[in-house]
Amino acid sequence: AVVLWKLGLRLFGKPGAAAAAGLWALSLASRLQHLNGMETGLWLFLFVLASLRILEARADREPRPVKFLAVGFLLGLGYLARVDAVFLLGAVLADLFMAKKRKGLRPATALVSGFLIVVLPWLVISKTATGAFLPDSGPASRFLALESGGGFLRDQLGRPQEAPGDTWGTDPLRAR
């Protein structure tokens, strides 16, 4: 709520910040997203924090690469939570190159470097362990949906079955 308040304050002033933080605090949907054990709550937090840091970094007359490096770290962590962060990374890079007054090359290099420092080790391990940079989460999502259905879905659809080539529930390093 504090980060959302700060972002709202920067964008809309006190009334907008109070409305944003208040709506978030009173929203049942936001409570459920943050308590369901999935990645959405973490991703939303990192997205709002990265957005706040982007605005702060853009406000400088002379861009400081260290601020964009920090934004890259946040977007890298966001990418590890959900790959949607790559779209915000692309938007910030486009903004840096379109705004000539910000001298886009150094900040862009810092932004991408911060992102890669966080993401690259995971991509290498993922490729080594599963054979893909982005492993398929379909079997895991189906399993979670069936297991969290309070027994109803499990009774109606049966327990999750392993499909040929499905490595759900096995050690990915030994699956090959």
Side-chain angles (χ1 to χ4, degrees), residues 3-171:
V3 175
L4 188 58
W5 165 267
K6 286 185 175 187
L7 180 62
L9 196 61
R10 189 154 189 88
L11 291 173
F12 309 113
K14 283 186 181 179
L23 286 172
W24 176 84
L26 298 174
S27 170
L28 179 60
S30 71
R31 294 292 123 235
L32 292 174
Q33 289 297 333
H34 288 283
L35 296 175
N36 71 2
M38 299 297 280
E39 79 288 349
T40 307
L42 176 61
W43 159 236
L44 289 173
F45 170 72
L46 291 168
F47 180 83
V48 171
L49 186 58
S51 298
L52 177 64
R53 296 296 175 219
I54 289 164
L55 291 175
E56 290 173 354
R58 287 180 75 237
D60 292 346
R61 287 188 189 273
E62 190 65 32
R64 292 181 36 204
V66 70
K67 287 187 176 183
F68 287 95
L69 184 71
V71 170
F73 285 145
L74 289 172
L75 291 176
L77 291 172
Y79 180 86
L80 294 180
R82 281 179 76 149
V83 296
D84 303 0
V86 78
F87 296 112
L88 183 56
L89 176 72
V92 175
L93 285 171
D95 175 64
L96 285 172
F97 287 118
M98 290 188 325
K100 297 180 191 306
K101 68 176 183 172
R102 283 195 283 283
K103 299 176 185 164
L105 190 57
R106 286 185 60 215
T109 302
L111 180 73
V112 171
S113 297
F115 181 82
L116 289 176
I117 286 169
V118 174
V119 171
L120 201 56
W122 182 83
L123 290 175
V124 169
I125 290 169
S126 179
K127 179 70 173 165
T128 304
T130 67
F133 287 113
L134 297 172
D136 182 18
S137 64
S141 298
R142 181 173 185 269
F143 176 79
L144 289 173
L146 289 173
E147 291 299 313
S148 66
F152 174 76
L153 289 173
R154 194 173 42 251
D155 294 341
Q156 297 300 313
L157 301 174
R159 297 193 68 66
Q161 301 295 319
E162 285 196 20
D166 183 5
T167 59
W168 172 251
T170 62
D171 183 355

